[in-house]
């Protein structure tokens, strides 16, 4: 309310929470005269505040001056704009969210140009942690290690405390160092900066993934890669090796069968062409010698076709046996 203001002698209020809302109760009635306004001190207690810097890569190279406010009162502190003073001097402004009793907030209010932060990213190889199999599926648990190293330079003559806020809580798990705090979407790490000095922070994190593969669809090369992995148990190695061997035999017999069928097809086409040629030449006088040559070739091809058909049947029977053995070996996978 605009107008004149008068000094208030109202004592601080008590607070109460009403579900998600809250209210303040003053001990005595408050009278405000016409065309006047008053500031009512609902809180006169001191609350703990720690001066920090907070850095996130999305903010550029400079961190932000921040105040870590801990509400150790019994009252809810309403949100809104605040003015920050440091040592009696104006330091900046900020918008504060509502702070419930017992909670704390990290409030950024001004850029700190005396501190610069740069970072480098590194990604390691994927390592397999566990290998299991059952119900015709191979389950592989693997981890991808990543590192992010922050280099921090403080050019001011006083030491500082920096909070590095690293996003990506849901995708990665931090291995080292231990974060001082976790928010809903980020990890926070605390770094002590010496006056006129530098400091580094190396964060190691990993992304764990689970991959399921149907053994019937897996290649023998893929299975042999798992067989050679040191994380596989001896029992599992024996079972997977047997499956990989059978898959290799199935592939080899399938290739032999396809080659035999292709040769049968080629010879069958030759036989058809030879018969057509013989039929044509039989109507022409003086071509008896050529007809005999074609007939001899026709007989030779027929003998080869008979052998190839026998070979194809033998390969088919052998492949059926390997297929049955492979199905049984896959069904028995359990480790």
């Amino acid at each position: 309310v605009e107008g004149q203001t008068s000094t208030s002698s109202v004592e601080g209020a008590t607070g109460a929470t009403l579900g998600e809302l809250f209210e303040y109760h003053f001990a005595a009635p408050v009278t405000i005269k016409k065309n006047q306004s008053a500031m009512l001190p609902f809180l006169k207690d001191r609350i703990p505040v720690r001066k920090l810097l907070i850095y996130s890569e999305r903010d550029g190279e400079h961190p932000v001056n921040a105040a870590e406010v801990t509400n150790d009162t019994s009252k809810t502190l309403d949100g809104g704009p605040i003015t920050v003073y440091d040592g009696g001097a104006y330091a900046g402004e900020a918008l504060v969210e509502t702070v419930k009793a017992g909670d704390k907030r990290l409030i950024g209010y001004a850029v700190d140009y005396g501190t610069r932060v740069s970072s480098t990213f590194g990604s390691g190889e994927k390592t397999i942690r566990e290998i299991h199999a059952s119900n015709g599926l191979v389950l592989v648990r693997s981890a991808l290690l990543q590192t992010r190293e922050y280099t921090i330079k403080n050019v001011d003559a006083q030491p500082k405390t920096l909070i590095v806020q690293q996003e990506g809580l849901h995708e990665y798990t931090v291995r080292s160092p231990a974060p001082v705090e976790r928010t809903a979407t980020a990890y926070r790490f605390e770094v002590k900066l010496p006056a006129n000095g530098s400091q580094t922070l190396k964060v190691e994190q990993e992304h764990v993934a689970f991959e399921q593969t149907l053994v019937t669809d897996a290649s023998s090369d893929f299975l042999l890669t798992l067989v050679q992995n040191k994380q596989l148990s001896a029992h599992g190695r024996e079972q997977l090796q047997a499956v990989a061997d059978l898959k290799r035999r199935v592939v080899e017999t399938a290739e032999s069968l396809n080659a035999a069928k292709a040769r049968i097809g080629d010879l069958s086409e030759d036989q058809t062409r030879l018969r057509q040629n013989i039929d044509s030449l039989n109507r022409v006088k003086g071509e008896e010698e050529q007809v005999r040559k074609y007939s001899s070739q026709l007989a030779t091809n027929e003998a080869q076709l008979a052998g190839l058909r026998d070979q194809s049947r033998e390969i088919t029977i052998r492949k059926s046996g390997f297929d049955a053995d492979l199905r049984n070996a896959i069904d028995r996978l359990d480790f």
Side-chain angles (χ1 to χ4, degrees):
V1 179
E2 296 183 355
Q4 300 178 358
T5 60
S6 60
T7 302
S8 172
S9 61
V10 178
E11 293 296 327
T14 59
T17 300
L18 302 174
E20 295 300 319
L21 304 177
F22 56 92
E23 63 181 10
Y24 301 113
H25 297 277
F26 291 91
V30 178
T31 300
I32 303 176
K33 297 180 180 180
K34 184 178 179 180
N35 295 328
Q36 291 185 347
S37 62
M39 296 182 66
L40 304 180
F42 69 91
L43 177 67
K44 290 186 176 180
D45 301 332
R46 289 182 175 272
I47 57 176
V49 177
R50 186 164 68 123
K51 182 178 179 181
L52 300 169
L53 301 177
I54 185 168
Y55 172 77
S56 176
E57 284 189 311
R58 62 187 177 187
D59 297 329
E61 67 172 344
H62 298 288
V64 174
N65 282 299
E68 184 184 68
V69 177
T70 302
N71 183 9
D72 62 354
T73 71
S74 59
K75 306 178 183 67
T76 298
L77 305 182
D78 197 8
I82 64 169
T83 301
V84 180
Y85 291 88
D86 186 0
Y90 173 81
E93 297 183 354
L95 285 173
V96 183
E97 298 178 356
T98 299
V99 185
K100 303 285 285 185
D103 200 0
K104 69 178 180 180
R105 288 288 186 276
L106 196 56
I107 304 166
Y109 56 86
V111 175
D112 177 26
Y113 292 102
T115 307
R116 295 190 302 274
V117 184
S118 61
S119 65
T120 56
F121 173 81
S123 180
E125 295 183 356
K126 182 187 291 185
T127 58
I128 294 178
R129 298 286 179 80
E130 295 179 25
I131 304 173
H132 301 285
S134 63
N135 299 321
L137 289 172
V138 170
L139 176 63
V140 178
R141 176 176 174 267
S142 58
L144 177 64
L145 181 65
Q146 293 185 343
T147 60
R148 191 175 296 275
E149 185 167 343
Y150 300 89
T151 302
I152 309 140
K153 175 69 174 178
N154 176 24
V155 300
D156 291 329
Q158 68 270 4
K160 303 173 182 177
T161 300
L162 172 70
I163 299 295
V164 175
Q165 183 163 288
Q166 183 165 299
E167 307 293 333
L169 175 63
H170 299 298
E171 295 84 6
Y172 291 90
T173 301
V174 171
R175 296 184 60 183
S176 69
V180 295
E181 188 178 8
R182 292 174 58 175
T183 69
T185 59
Y187 293 99
R188 285 176 176 171
F189 305 90
E190 185 171 309
V191 183
K192 300 293 184 181
L193 302 179
N196 295 313
S198 300
Q199 186 62 277
T200 60
L201 170 68
K202 184 177 182 180
V203 179
E204 292 186 349
Q205 56 188 13
E206 66 179 10
H207 174 63
V208 178
F210 294 88
E211 301 176 30
Q212 286 188 342
T213 304
L214 277 170
V215 182
T216 53
D217 296 338
S219 67
S220 56
D221 289 340
F222 171 74
L223 296 179
L224 288 175
T225 301
L226 298 182
V227 167
Q228 296 167 4
N229 192 280
K230 63 181 181 180
Q231 299 298 330
L232 185 62
S233 65
H235 180 58
R237 182 171 293 106
E238 180 182 355
Q239 291 190 26
L240 275 188
Q241 182 68 62
V243 171
D245 291 342
L246 285 169
K247 273 185 167 287
R248 177 177 51 78
R249 292 173 186 171
V250 167
V251 170
E252 289 174 351
T253 52
E255 291 174 350
S256 298
L257 182 60
N258 290 335
K261 289 181 177 179
R263 182 59 179 155
I264 289 173
D266 292 341
L267 285 175
S268 297
E269 290 179 1
D270 286 346
Q271 295 295 77
T272 300
R273 178 178 53 80
L274 287 170
R275 289 189 179 94
Q276 290 173 347
N277 290 339
I278 291 172
D279 184 61
S280 298
L281 291 175
N282 280 332
R283 300 170 189 166
V284 180
K285 291 183 179 181
E287 295 293 338
E288 290 80 3
E289 182 64 25
Q290 187 63 43
V291 169
R292 281 195 296 271
K293 290 181 180 179
Y294 284 156
S295 298
S296 176
Q297 184 64 46
L298 189 66
T300 301
N301 287 355
E302 282 296 333
Q304 291 183 14
L305 279 171
L308 284 170
R309 291 189 180 103
D310 290 341
Q311 182 183 0
S312 177
R313 283 192 290 270
E314 187 275 330
I315 295 174
T316 300
I317 294 172
R318 186 150 40 95
K319 182 178 179 299
S320 297
F322 287 149
D323 286 337
D325 292 342
L326 178 60
R327 288 193 297 271
N328 292 332
I330 291 175
D331 291 340
R332 289 195 302 267
L333 285 176
D334 187 19
F335 57 85

